[in-house]
CSV table of all heavy atoms in Angstrom, one decimal:
chain,number,residue,atom,x,y,z
A,124,ASN,N,5.6,3.7,3.6
A,124,ASN,CA,6.8,4.5,4.2
A,124,ASN,C,6.9,5.9,3.6
A,124,ASN,O,7.3,6.8,4.3
A,124,ASN,CB,8.1,3.8,3.9
A,124,ASN,CG,8.2,2.3,4.4
A,124,ASN,OD1,7.5,2.0,5.3
A,124,ASN,ND2,9.0,1.5,3.7
A,129,PHE,N,9.1,5.2,7.9
A,129,PHE,CA,9.1,3.7,7.8
A,129,PHE,C,8.0,3.1,8.7
A,129,PHE,O,7.9,3.5,9.9
A,129,PHE,CB,10.5,3.2,8.3
A,129,PHE,CG,10.5,1.6,8.3
A,129,PHE,CD1,10.4,0.9,7.1
A,129,PHE,CD2,10.7,1.0,9.5
A,129,PHE,CE1,10.4,-0.5,7.1
A,129,PHE,CE2,10.7,-0.4,9.5
A,129,PHE,CZ,10.6,-1.1,8.3
A,130,ASP,N,7.1,2.3,8.1
A,130,ASP,CA,6.0,1.6,8.8
A,130,ASP,C,4.9,2.5,9.3
A,130,ASP,O,4.0,2.1,10.0
A,130,ASP,CB,6.6,0.7,9.9
A,130,ASP,CG,7.0,-0.6,9.5
A,130,ASP,OD1,7.0,-0.9,8.2
A,130,ASP,OD2,7.4,-1.4,10.3
A,252,HIS,N,2.3,-3.4,10.6
A,252,HIS,CA,2.5,-2.1,10.0
A,252,HIS,C,1.3,-1.7,9.2
A,252,HIS,O,0.8,-2.5,8.4
A,252,HIS,CB,3.8,-2.0,9.2
A,252,HIS,CG,3.9,-2.9,8.1
A,252,HIS,ND1,3.4,-2.6,6.8
A,252,HIS,CD2,4.2,-4.2,8.0
A,252,HIS,CE1,3.6,-3.6,6.0
A,252,HIS,NE2,4.1,-4.6,6.7
A,254,ASP,N,1.0,1.0,7.2
A,254,ASP,CA,1.3,2.1,6.2
A,254,ASP,C,0.8,1.8,4.8
A,254,ASP,O,0.8,2.7,3.9
A,254,ASP,CB,2.7,2.5,6.2
A,254,ASP,CG,3.7,1.3,6.0
A,254,ASP,OD1,3.4,0.2,6.5
A,254,ASP,OD2,4.7,1.5,5.3
A,255,ASN,N,0.3,0.6,4.5
A,255,ASN,CA,-0.4,0.3,3.3
A,255,ASN,C,-1.9,0.1,3.5
A,255,ASN,O,-2.7,0.7,2.8
A,255,ASN,CB,0.1,-1.0,2.6
A,255,ASN,CG,1.5,-0.8,2.0
A,255,ASN,OD1,2.4,-1.5,2.5
A,255,ASN,ND2,1.7,0.0,1.1
A,297,THR,N,8.2,-8.9,0.9
A,297,THR,CA,8.2,-7.9,2.0
A,297,THR,C,8.7,-8.6,3.3
A,297,THR,O,9.5,-8.1,4.0
A,297,THR,CB,6.9,-7.3,2.2
A,297,THR,OG1,6.6,-6.5,1.0
A,297,THR,CG2,6.9,-6.3,3.4
A,301,ARG,N,11.9,-7.4,5.3
A,301,ARG,CA,11.9,-6.9,6.7
A,301,ARG,C,12.8,-7.6,7.6
A,301,ARG,O,13.4,-7.0,8.4
A,301,ARG,CB,10.4,-7.0,7.2
A,301,ARG,CG,9.4,-6.1,6.5
A,301,ARG,CD,8.0,-6.4,7.0
A,301,ARG,NE,7.8,-5.8,8.3
A,301,ARG,CZ,7.6,-4.5,8.6
A,301,ARG,NH1,7.7,-3.6,7.6
A,301,ARG,NH2,7.5,-4.1,9.8
A,348,ARG,N,18.0,-1.2,1.4
A,348,ARG,CA,17.2,-2.0,0.4
A,348,ARG,C,17.5,-1.7,-1.0
A,348,ARG,O,17.1,-2.5,-1.9
A,348,ARG,CB,15.7,-1.7,0.7
A,348,ARG,CG,15.2,-2.3,2.0
A,348,ARG,CD,13.7,-2.0,2.2
A,348,ARG,NE,13.1,-2.8,3.2
A,348,ARG,CZ,11.9,-2.6,3.7
A,348,ARG,NH1,11.2,-1.6,3.3
A,348,ARG,NH2,11.4,-3.4,4.6
A,374,GLY,N,7.4,1.2,-0.3
A,374,GLY,CA,7.4,0.1,0.6
A,374,GLY,C,8.8,-0.6,0.6
A,374,GLY,O,9.8,0.1,0.6
A,375,SER,N,8.8,-1.9,0.5
A,375,SER,CA,10.1,-2.6,0.5
A,375,SER,C,10.6,-2.7,-0.9
A,375,SER,O,11.5,-3.4,-1.2
A,375,SER,CB,9.9,-4.0,1.1
A,375,SER,OG,8.9,-4.7,0.5
B,596,HSE,N1,6.5,-0.5,5.8
B,596,HSE,C1,6.6,-1.8,5.1
B,596,HSE,C2,8.0,-2.0,4.8
B,596,HSE,C3,5.8,-1.6,3.8
B,596,HSE,O1,8.7,-1.1,4.3
B,596,HSE,O2,8.5,-3.2,5.1
B,596,HSE,C4,5.9,-2.8,2.9
B,596,HSE,O3,5.2,-2.6,1.7
Side-chain angles (χ1 to χ4, degrees):
N124 304 334
F129 177 66
D130 274 2
H252 57 92
D254 54 325
N255 291 115
T297 297
R301 294 177 71 79
R348 286 177 165 173
S375 56

